[in-house]
Amino acid sequence: MSRMAATFHRHGPLLASLSLWVLFLSAGWSALPMRDRQPLWTFRPAGLSAGIAAVSARPVPVFAMRPDRSTLRVGTGSTQADGRIEFTPFDLEDPLLVQDSEGLLFDADLRVLWLLASDEERTRIRLGIDALGRGLREAVDAVLKSPEFADDYKGELTNVIQQAADSAWREPVTRNAYDDLVRGVEPLLRDAARRDLMPLMLNRIEPLIWEMLGANAGALIDIFRTRQWDLKPVERTMDAILRDARERGIVERTSRRILDSRQARTFIQTFAGAVMDAMTRDPRIGGLLVRLVTDQRIGGYLSPLSQPAADLARFAPGMLLGVHPNNDLNAIAAFTFRGFITGRSGQLIILTSPGQRDEMLRLDPRAPRPLLRDAQP
């Protein structure tokens, strides 16, 4: 008996610790959703073509949004072969699983964090971005006007831009947009010619004929046609017509109508986008930008950018990631951040009230993809 007591005295603390660990793990295991629970709901994308292709085969975390827009993970979704997502909750009695919960499917990126921010936070971030944009424009303007840029960078960058413009012009999408512009402009030009230019020309026709007669009187009676017609009156008449058109604002009015057309806006947008795409593909642009931003001589011109960039970097991450005083990183921000680090962003589902769903869709019609909820499978 004394031997058993000695043994227990020696190993008692270890046995007690192991017992506590077993009890702790048992309690934790019972609380985790690892037992054979049946799915509570089944979601399917409202637009099957937009939803099924985007759904990952990996488990989809499901979060519930509280009235204050904070979120809490409440379960896991599993994607089925037909694209449906079966939702299994951690706790069937969770009060957040109200019957009017609406499911929204998101890509785990900054757009979902932006939507989860409060109106005040979004306003402050937007004002910070506006200030950063103003500082960036001032800094870029100062850099472009600097002698250092003119001497060491402008020539090479101009060459890149010219080649990008040539490449963009040859793109089929650009040519199609240009052909559409030409077809759209033809009716405008015909209307301007009929309504504005034709009256000017008719007013000048009779004086033109008299001038032609006076300038070509000798040629008219030359039966051998040895003289060429004197066309200088035509040139003077054309100059007069152009002068009249400018004075009456016909050129400006017609140009404005053309530039206001849908085809002109589409062409300019298409061409500009193609130029930017071509520039990003040019291997020289990366090295040029690295040299530019690391050039100590250029750093002095970037001062308008430093203060708004520092201000935005100070408060924006905390708002988007949900890091506030006495608060931990919120679950959605943690999931999104992990995706950034691993390069596997994945997707997530947020359960909202109908009002919260409508507000999110109003702020961003594309990021939230509504899910239709079926009955319990």
Side-chain angles (χ1 to χ4, degrees):
M1 187 71 178
S2 59
R3 183 179 300 175
M4 290 179 60
T7 302
F8 181 80
H9 178 75
R10 229 178 11 253
H11 301 291
L14 178 60
L15 294 174
S17 298
L18 289 176
S19 300
L20 289 175
W21 272 106
V22 169
L23 291 174
F24 175 77
L25 291 176
S26 299
W29 185 267
S30 64
L32 290 174
M34 293 182 179
R35 295 182 297 176
D36 294 332
R37 292 180 178 171
Q38 294 298 317
L40 177 63
W41 298 325
T42 297
F43 292 108
R44 51 189 174 88
L48 294 180
S49 60
I52 291 180
V55 173
S56 171
R58 299 179 333 189
V60 180
V62 180
F63 303 85
M65 179 179 288
R66 301 185 180 101
D68 64 355
R69 301 182 68 85
S70 63
T71 56
L72 178 68
R73 184 166 180 180
V74 293
T76 300
S78 59
T79 305
Q80 306 304 303
D82 58 0
R84 294 177 303 112
I85 305 172
E86 293 186 349
F87 164 56
T88 303
F90 292 161
D91 182 4
L92 291 172
E93 306 300 326
D94 194 326
L96 291 176
L97 302 179
V98 294
Q99 293 303 310
D100 60 351
S101 293
E102 302 289 337
L104 295 173
L105 179 68
F106 291 88
D107 293 323
D109 55 25
L110 287 177
R111 293 170 71 181
V112 66
L113 300 182
W114 170 260
L115 290 175
L116 290 176
S118 66
D119 293 338
E120 294 77 10
E121 290 172 335
R122 280 195 297 268
T123 298
R124 187 177 179 189
I125 292 175
R126 190 178 291 111
L127 292 175
I129 293 175
D130 291 342
L132 182 65
R134 289 191 298 270
L136 180 61
R137 286 192 293 272
E138 293 179 16
V140 169
D141 187 59
V143 170
L144 295 180
K145 293 179 180 178
S146 67
E148 294 85 355
F149 179 82
D151 294 340
D152 298 337
Y153 299 99
K154 186 175 183 179
E156 186 176 353
L157 186 59
T158 299
N159 185 260
V160 170
I161 294 173
Q162 290 174 345
Q163 292 191 15
D166 292 340
S167 175
W169 179 251
R170 293 191 296 269
E171 289 289 337
V173 64
T174 304
R175 301 298 299 180
N176 292 337
Y178 176 74
D179 293 340
D180 189 33
L181 171 62
V182 171
R183 287 191 295 269
V185 163
E186 285 177 353
L188 297 177
L189 294 179
R190 285 197 300 268
D191 181 60
R194 175 185 56 80
R195 186 187 60 208
D196 299 323
L197 291 180
M198 189 58 68
L200 295 182
M201 296 177 65
L202 292 177
N203 289 336
R204 294 284 181 176
I205 285 295
E206 184 176 349
L208 172 62
I209 297 301
W210 288 112
E211 283 193 54
M212 288 291 292
L213 288 174
N216 294 279
L220 286 172
I221 61 176
D222 184 1
I223 61 175
F224 298 106
R225 292 287 185 270
T226 59
R227 300 183 185 182
Q228 297 292 328
W229 296 111
D230 184 356
L231 298 179
K232 290 181 180 178
V234 175
E235 296 176 4
R236 290 193 293 271
T237 299
M238 290 301 300
D239 291 340
I241 292 173
L242 289 174
R243 185 170 59 252
D244 292 343
R246 284 193 296 268
E247 291 175 355
R248 299 189 184 188
I250 294 175
V251 176
E252 291 81 0
R253 187 165 57 249
T254 303
S255 300
R256 188 162 53 249
R257 290 181 63 191
I258 292 173
L259 292 175
D260 285 342
S261 67
R262 174 191 60 81
Q263 294 87 347
R265 290 195 297 271
T266 300
F267 169 71
I268 294 173
Q269 292 171 355
T270 302
F271 183 63
V275 171
M276 297 303 295
D277 290 340
M279 288 183 64
T280 58
R281 293 192 301 266
D282 194 315
R284 295 172 295 174
I285 198 69
L288 183 63
L289 291 178
V290 169
R291 284 169 42 208
L292 187 63
V293 298
T294 57
D295 192 333
Q296 295 183 355
R297 300 171 303 165
I298 300 295
Y301 300 103
L302 303 179
S303 56
L305 190 62
S306 58
Q307 188 59 46
D311 292 341
L312 189 64
R314 185 175 63 252
F315 64 79
M319 291 181 176
L320 291 177
L321 299 179
V323 182
H324 303 289
N326 302 319
N327 256 339
D328 294 328
L329 189 69
N330 72 58
I332 290 183
F335 181 76
T336 303
F337 186 71
R338 185 183 67 183
F340 291 155
I341 297 298
T342 61
R344 302 174 63 193
S345 57
Q347 293 181 313
L348 57 91
I349 293 174
I350 300 180
L351 304 179
T352 69
S353 68
Q356 292 170 331
R357 175 204 58 193
D358 295 342
E359 176 67 12
M360 283 192 169
L361 289 173
R362 184 186 65 81
L363 291 171
D364 189 340
R366 294 187 300 269
R369 295 192 287 280
L371 298 172
L372 304 178
R373 193 175 74 192
D374 295 335
Q376 181 174 349

